[in-house]
Amino acid sequence: MTTVVTGTTAPPRSVGTAHTRIEGRDKVTGAARYAGEVPFADLAHGWLVLSTVARGRIRAIESEAVLAMPGVLAVLDHRTAPRVNTDYSGLMGMRPDPTIAVFQHDRVPHLGWPVALVVAETSEQAREAAEALVVRYEEAPHHTGLDTDHPDAHALDGVMPGVTGKGDLEAELAASATVVDAEYTTPEEHHNPMEPHAATARWEDGRLELVDSNQGATWVTGELASLFSLDPGSVRVRSEHVGGGFGSKGIRAHQVAAVMAATLLRRPVRVVMTRRQMFSLAGYRSPTAQRVRLGADARGRLRALEHNSLSVTSTVHEYVEPAADPARVMYDADAHHTANRVIPLDVPSPTFMRAPGEAPGSFALESAMDELAERCGLDPIELRLRNEPDQGPVSGLPFAGRNLPACYREGARRFGWAGRDPRPGRRRDGRWLLGTGTASASFFAGAGPSTATLTAHPDGTFTVRIAAADIGTGARTAITLVAADALRVTPDRVRVRIGDSDFGPAMIAGGSMGTRSWSWAVTAAADELRDRLALGSDIPAEGITVRSDTAAAIGALTPAERHSYGAQFAEVAVDPATGEVRVRRMLGIFAAGRIINPLTARNQFLGGMVWGLSMALHEEAVRDRAFGGVVGADLAGYHVATNADVPRIEADWIEDHDPGDPVGIKGIGEIGIVGVAAAIANAVWHATGTRHRHLPIRPDRVLAAATADRGRPDA
Amino acid sequence: MREFDYQRAHDVAGAVALLGAALDTRYLGGGTNLVDLMKTGVERPARLVDIRELPLDLVESTPEGGLRIGATVTNGDLAAHPEVRRRYPALAQAVLAGASGQLRNMATVGGNLLQRTRCGYFTDVTRPCNKRVPGSGCPAIAGDHHNHAILGASEHCVATHPSDMAVALSAFDAVVRYETGAGGGELPLRDFYLPVGDTPHLETALPRGALITGVTLPPLPIAGHSRYRKVRERASYAFAIGSAAAALDVHDGVVRDARLAFGAVASRPWRATAAERVLTGAPATPETFAAAADAELAAARPLEHNAYKVTLLRNLTVAVLTELAEEAAR
């Protein structure tokens, strides 16, 4: 036995210095195995069969013919599948989306509803049989369009209340020197992580094991235990590497179907979604129809602010896209009203998608602020600075650090904003009209209770175990750096194991809360371990292990408005003859707490900004009202920005220290998106003089505006 | 996915013999479109005859001063060929405007001509489509057709041909060469694609079982001063929403000769012959170019959501021809 210690003289700090991903080499060489690639003996393959009608009932499933096909082992459907329990509360107390309770009844609530799972010896056999399976339906009329006059529209609470309000809106609008009243829409958008959803289920020594691609092993374990009425300790979920999630990788139909099949067949069963199936089964961001009304006094101070958002949900589950939420943080007004409403349609259930609420909501709100600046004759940054609130406009709580003005000062300096001619349509480069725009960003900085275990080994190394998920962000590396600093050792002495529900409950990689939540738990465990080791006891062969739980500490946080902030800048070029819009450069300056790993943090900010660019100009799922499904449901039909669309982008951050916060880390996974679409739309206005209030800003929309503006298409 | 046989052909006669008259056998070139369609179930061949090793991978000058392009020349090699770039620059530009570097390194000239429409209803086997299942209907006409045809379509199909390369070949009067078991033949590109009518599933005039062996470009001095411009919904890796291949011969401010073809407007590359007639002999001015575009687009029959293409093609025609005229004047 040896006496090993954490550092007494601390090595240079690891947090704040650039580190490449620990598993980076494994990923680029293919050594890292993803959920759909982990080998299993005796593995069977399931293929989901999805409904081809948008509403109705299953009349018949002609399984017999398919069961005779080569390699086919079973067909699970509503007549043959095990029953599951859906009467429980899952993540954050939410009721489960019944879409995950597959094969429980004959009703079809939307196109792409899972109606059967065909299991075969090989993936190819399963697919061929699944595509041959004849399912007969009794069709019923369906409705899938977001109509703003829909009679069933109703306010819905999400994580935050559906409706907030103070003051007399109409009176303040009437008394305002300047008023903006505008409607904005954003389309249905899909997450499309690079790695499709994949899960393998098996029973091993009386335990259910799932090898999965998800954003939280704890989350999936809890849902599976509830669904199948199992002791949570008898379910183990592993998720070593995850090729993107963006909110779509929680509990989904394929995992439940895999568990059902593994249970019936008593062998491992893998179910992988196709890209096309993901457009029905993986969740998506609802389209939104938003109306913003702003009223300002002669100096540009807001007297009235109203932000109403309408989104869609399915007929089986209520999910609200809270696009009106950003207004509750960003701006105060004497009359301040926000509402998130939904209408149930015959569509799949929408879900969290990177920056839920903030992404579409900031497009409307920050576009409206730009319109207000134009009408007030104020610089858009100056208008925002004049409307910096002293406290939470709705909550009344103090801000725990609000460094938005500093972001604007730094951003304006680096972007070269000073001296900008505010008049639209004045700058030209050949066939291109040029313009610049800006917008604000904010994102909630929360934390979720997590547990971590930390072991000191006799050889002087340490092992961290936490059910964190690295969905491509570099979380494994960030936790390593945090643990190294907390232990006062170099990172090479710290091993971090994540993605295993047996490590104990932990926060999901979601809501920009993962790194903040996990670091908190790891730091707490390290503090305790250092205390233990400081006593000088020898370390036994099995090591000394401590365990932390942050539930009490998080509960003890002083209530405050905790958020990250950012200022987004964009320069665009618009060809009015063809409608092409190209972004020429972008800059985002963020105040996002303590930055753990500048290398991967910059990557996350840039990735978010590219996402925002993609949202502004490209992304749009077109749902055909006649058949109720998405047309062109693949990455050729659903456009995301390509490398050629992405210009010179810079992301940077300013010092953002909150002395009252025990970890000082804020999330950075989502804020990069927020405000980008508005900054680009505002730049397109500056270039052309046309406000684009409907995303994406497609060539045909630019062309229509140019034609309407000038009377002649080639002018 | 249906299981299929795979055989590799080593010479043209062998390839044609391997394919035979079987309806569910396909030639496999780069596979950049066919393999995708097999994954989605649009194509379910029982057998693939791989023709990538055939000796059809050369670009050669013809004695008359044109070019003979082999069917298995990759798109990447075609675009990079010095004689293509020098004598038919719009062709090189068109190829480079398509797909991605990886796809262009795989895709072949023959396959490019025969690629299928990317209409979202055609590629979704759960939907009706007259091109995929004759008589089943066309949901695009009442549905999503923002990138569908405005010229030469019918009530049975409004799909567009996705090729950029073929638009330039069409402007330059290319001729397609093919081989069958009963001998070879040639088809001018203007006759290669069939009118849509009520048979949108019949796309080309190639005889059954024919193997495209190459494309011949005639000698065409005007092509040396040519341009391809493509407008799409993102900067790369997207099919056109409108494109134009143009060549212009201007002397003393007057158009002596012109070539013009449009892409993404019809079930085939659209040779703008009406526009060419207006251009020839007229002053090389934006007004002439607009009048030429209008003459061609007078036949356009846009649907509810694709009328923007008329404006787009008019503007694009004026822009590209103006550029060419200005360069000629220098």
Side-chain angles (χ1 to χ4, degrees):
Chain A
M1 289 202 284
T2 43
T3 303
V4 176
V5 272
T6 55
T8 43
T9 55
R13 292 181 69 83
S14 299
V15 167
T17 59
H19 289 258
T20 56
R21 284 175 175 75
I22 289 165
E23 74 290 348
R25 185 185 164 84
D26 284 351
K27 282 182 174 170
V28 299
T29 57
R33 287 190 193 273
Y34 287 80
E37 315 174 308
V38 177
F40 284 90
D42 201 29
L43 180 64
H45 298 262
W47 202 272
L48 284 163
V49 179
L50 308 189
S51 73
T52 54
V53 303
R55 192 160 153 254
R57 283 182 184 277
I58 301 165
R59 227 162 17 89
I61 298 183
E62 298 177 2
S63 323
E64 291 72 21
V66 159
L67 284 165
M69 290 177 69
V72 174
L73 300 166
V75 176
L76 276 71
D77 58 34
H78 65 282
R79 302 162 304 180
T80 58
R83 300 299 98 179
V84 295
N85 162 52
T86 54
D87 187 18
Y88 67 91
S89 295
L91 182 75
M92 295 187 291
M94 292 186 304
R95 302 283 294 173
D97 176 355
T99 308
I100 62 173
V102 292
F103 320 139
Q104 301 296 296
H105 55 74
D106 63 355
R107 293 190 302 283
V108 173
H110 63 75
L111 192 115
W113 177 259
V115 296
L117 182 80
V118 177
V119 190
E121 295 288 349
T122 71
S123 172
E124 291 78 8
Q125 288 168 336
R127 180 175 199 166
E128 180 67 8
E131 288 170 356
L133 182 66
V134 174
V135 181
R136 299 193 188 282
Y137 301 94
E138 184 183 299
E139 270 195 81
H142 66 267
H143 186 70
T144 61
L146 171 55
D147 299 322
T148 49
D149 58 351
H150 196 286
D152 296 336
H154 58 278
L156 182 61
D157 294 346
V159 179
M160 306 297 278
V163 177
T164 67
K166 67 174 180 187
D168 185 335
L169 187 76
E170 299 305 331
E172 294 295 338
L173 282 170
S176 292
T178 312
V179 171
V180 168
D181 180 352
E183 293 180 1
Y184 303 85
T185 63
T186 62
E188 178 176 328
E189 297 162 347
H190 287 254
H191 310 73
N192 276 314
M194 187 83 83
E195 179 205 17
H197 296 57
T200 305
R202 68 169 171 179
W203 286 92
E204 189 81 353
D205 300 327
R207 293 184 83 198
L208 173 64
E209 187 185 26
L210 194 77
V211 172
D212 190 26
S213 174
N214 65 49
Q215 293 177 237
T218 307
W219 178 9
V220 175
T221 302
E223 302 267 354
L224 289 179
S226 298
L227 282 164
F228 290 95
S229 302
L230 298 167
D231 183 307
S234 66
V235 181
R236 182 185 188 190
V237 174
R238 290 191 290 143
S239 186
E240 179 79 26
H241 299 291
V242 182
F246 312 122
S248 74
K249 282 184 177 164
I251 182 79
R252 296 268 155 214
H254 68 298
Q255 296 140 319
V256 179
V259 172
M260 286 178 172
T263 305
L264 288 177
L265 293 170
R266 298 170 185 276
R267 58 188 280 194
V269 176
R270 172 169 298 161
V271 182
V272 181
M273 288 189 204
T274 64
R275 182 66 60 187
R276 195 168 280 264
Q277 288 175 340
M278 287 168 69
F279 278 82
S280 298
L281 293 178
Y284 61 96
R285 192 197 309 280
S286 165
T288 67
Q290 305 177 56
R291 184 182 181 194
V292 179
R293 289 198 288 172
L294 303 175
D297 67 18
R299 298 195 63 252
R301 195 189 62 85
L302 286 169
R303 299 185 62 145
L305 184 158
E306 182 191 40
H307 192 165
N308 288 332
S309 171
L310 183 67
S311 59
V312 310
T313 190
S314 68
T315 59
V316 298
H317 183 62
E318 292 217 303
Y319 175 83
V320 61
E321 177 72 26
D325 282 8
R328 300 171 183 178
V329 174
M330 293 310 295
Y331 306 110
D332 206 351
D334 302 305
H336 189 290
H337 292 257
T338 66
N340 294 307
R341 295 188 174 83
V342 296
I343 53 176
L345 296 175
D346 302 311
V347 295
S349 304
T351 192
F352 306 99
M353 179 164 139
R354 205 171 178 189
E358 266 82 0
S362 67
F363 165 63
L365 182 63
E366 293 296 315
S367 294
M369 286 296 282
D370 203 68
E371 298 197 36
L372 185 65
E374 177 198 354
R375 291 188 200 179
C376 290
L378 278 175
D379 178 82
I381 296 177
E382 177 60 25
L383 176 71
R384 288 172 172 92
L385 295 179
R386 288 186 187 186
N387 283 287
E388 269 291 283
D390 302 324
Q391 58 184 31
V394 172
S395 69
L397 293 170
F399 284 101
R402 182 175 166 111
N403 276 327
L404 181 62
C407 293
Y408 269 117
R409 278 192 296 274
E410 176 66 4
R413 183 185 69 75
R414 287 174 55 170
F415 192 76
W417 187 266
R420 170 184 184 260
D421 181 349
R423 295 171 300 171
R426 298 294 174 127
R427 294 144 299 273
R428 200 176 250 286
D429 175 11
R431 65 185 171 103
W432 301 97
L433 294 168
L434 306 181
T436 52
T438 189
S440 300
S442 74
F443 201 84
F444 174 64
S450 297
T451 62
T453 57
L454 187 42
T455 302
H457 302 286
D459 63 358
T461 64
F462 300 86
T463 301
V464 177
R465 289 181 176 81
I466 185 164
D470 191 334
I471 56 176
T473 59
R476 185 185 276 102
T477 309
I479 294 169
T480 305
L481 305 182
V482 167
D485 276 9
L487 292 163
R488 298 182 187 164
V489 300
T490 51
D492 58 325
R493 285 169 63 188
V494 179
R495 266 183 306 276
V496 171
R497 297 189 53 200
I498 61 171
D500 187 335
S501 63
D502 276 3
F503 296 159
M507 182 60 193
I508 62 167
S512 293
M513 291 191 266
T515 300
R516 174 172 164 83
S517 305
W518 306 321
S519 297
W520 199 329
V522 168
T523 305
D527 288 348
E528 190 188 332
L529 185 60
R530 286 179 56 237
D531 288 347
R532 290 269 298 273
L533 295 175
L535 298 175
S537 59
D538 286 337
I539 296 181
E542 71 274 18
I544 295 176
T545 297
V546 300
R547 182 179 174 79
S548 65
D549 185 338
T550 57
I554 289 171
L557 268 182
T558 314
E561 290 277 3
R562 289 187 174 80
H563 307 272
S564 301
Y565 297 92
Q568 305 274 14
F569 295 83
E571 178 178 352
V572 303
V574 182
D575 182 347
T578 61
E580 294 162 291
V581 178
R582 297 284 185 264
V583 179
R584 291 203 164 178
R585 61 188 175 115
M586 288 168 73
L587 172 68
I589 299 292
F590 301 95
R594 197 157 59 102
I595 299 301
I596 306 297
N597 184 353
L599 187 72
T600 50
R602 181 168 278 110
N603 181 68
Q604 267 192 288
F605 286 128
L606 294 179
M609 290 168 72
V610 170
W611 187 297
L613 184 164
S614 199
M615 172 183 170
L617 301 183
H618 309 301
E619 295 193 36
E620 175 179 33
V622 178
R623 197 168 279 280
D624 180 313
R625 289 188 178 212
F627 83 92
V630 172
V631 183
D634 54 40
L635 289 177
Y638 183 88
H639 285 179
V640 298
T642 65
N643 275 331
D645 294 290
V646 177
R648 181 158 57 88
I649 302 188
E650 288 180 63
D652 211 341
W653 46 88
I654 60 171
E655 185 68 26
D656 185 42
H657 178 58
D658 173 9
D661 191 278
V663 280
I665 298 166
K666 293 178 180 176
I668 57 171
E670 292 164 277
I671 190 168
I673 302 166
V674 184
V676 171
I680 289 173
N682 295 341
V684 171
W685 168 78
H686 191 230
T688 64
T690 301
R691 293 284 175 189
H692 283 272
R693 301 187 183 93
H694 308 286
L695 295 183
I697 306 173
R698 297 188 313 247
D700 63 310
R701 286 178 165 154
V702 177
L703 210 47
T707 308
D709 284 354
R710 290 171 181 79
R712 280 187 56 204
D714 57 341
Chain B
M1 190 165 173
R2 184 184 184 187
E3 286 200 10
F4 59 90
D5 292 331
Y6 168 91
Q7 282 169 299
R8 184 174 292 170
H10 301 286
D11 54 50
V12 170
V16 172
L18 277 172
L19 193 91
L23 284 175
D24 57 355
T25 301
R26 294 282 183 277
Y27 294 118
L28 175 69
T32 55
N33 186 207
L34 178 61
V35 174
D36 280 355
L37 293 172
M38 288 167 67
K39 288 179 181 170
T40 52
V42 174
E43 288 277 4
R44 293 176 56 80
R47 188 162 58 142
L48 294 182
V49 175
D50 188 341
I51 56 161
R52 283 184 63 86
E53 291 198 353
L54 299 190
L56 302 172
D57 58 346
L58 293 179
V59 178
E60 301 161 296
S61 289
T62 61
E64 306 79 43
L67 283 181
R68 285 173 63 91
I69 302 163
T72 65
V73 171
T74 67
N75 287 191
D77 286 348
L78 180 65
H81 198 280
E83 288 305 305
V84 174
R85 295 166 68 97
R86 190 173 67 82
R87 286 148 69 180
Y88 307 89
L91 175 58
Q93 293 164 12
V95 173
L96 288 177
S100 66
Q102 295 92 329
L103 288 167
R104 292 194 295 271
N105 286 341
M106 287 298 290
T108 61
V109 167
N112 189 318
L113 290 173
L114 292 177
Q115 65 179 308
R116 314 296 302 276
T117 183
R118 274 21 179 232
C119 171
Y121 302 95
F122 173 76
T123 55
D124 182 349
V125 293
T126 67
R127 308 315 342 148
C129 169
N130 286 327
K131 191 182 273 299
R132 185 166 29 76
V133 182
S136 60
C138 175
I141 290 170
D144 175 33
H145 54 245
H146 85 281
N147 196 13
H148 284 60
I150 55 170
L151 286 163
S154 80
E155 61 190 330
H156 302 283
C157 181
V158 292
T160 56
H161 195 266
S163 174
D164 294 298
M165 181 192 80
V167 179
L169 290 179
S170 165
F172 300 151
D173 297 313
V175 174
V176 179
R177 306 188 308 277
Y178 63 86
E179 204 64 45
T180 71
E186 289 189 344
L187 276 169
L189 202 61
R190 67 174 174 274
D191 301 326
F192 182 79
Y193 297 105
L194 298 173
V196 182
D198 56 0
T199 54
H201 59 293
L202 302 177
E203 296 183 348
T204 76
L206 282 174
R208 177 169 294 174
L211 172 70
I212 295 178
T213 54
V215 173
T216 305
L217 280 169
L220 194 66
I222 188 178
H225 187 53
S226 65
R227 175 146 312 164
Y228 185 76
R229 266 242 336 247
K230 172 178 181 176
V231 179
R232 43 190 152 174
E233 291 179 339
R234 58 183 172 189
S236 175
Y237 197 44
F239 295 96
I241 55 174
S243 70
L248 204 61
D249 179 8
V250 179
H251 192 73
D252 285 344
V254 174
V255 177
R256 282 203 300 210
D257 195 7
R259 295 288 185 280
L260 184 65
F262 296 153
V265 295
S267 64
R268 52 174 161 168
W270 190 266
R271 179 70 178 269
T273 49
E276 289 175 2
R277 281 194 296 275
V278 172
L279 290 168
T280 307
T285 62
E287 291 71 29
T288 295
F289 304 149
D294 288 343
E296 193 64 45
L297 294 163
R301 296 290 177 269
L303 299 161
E304 189 183 353
H305 302 298
N306 67 358
Y308 74 93
K309 287 192 174 191
V310 177
T311 311
L312 174 59
L313 265 299
R314 184 181 196 270
N315 292 353
L316 200 54
T317 301
V318 173
V320 172
L321 291 176
T322 302
E323 279 173 21
L324 287 170
E326 285 172 356
E327 286 168 14
R330 278 187 211 130

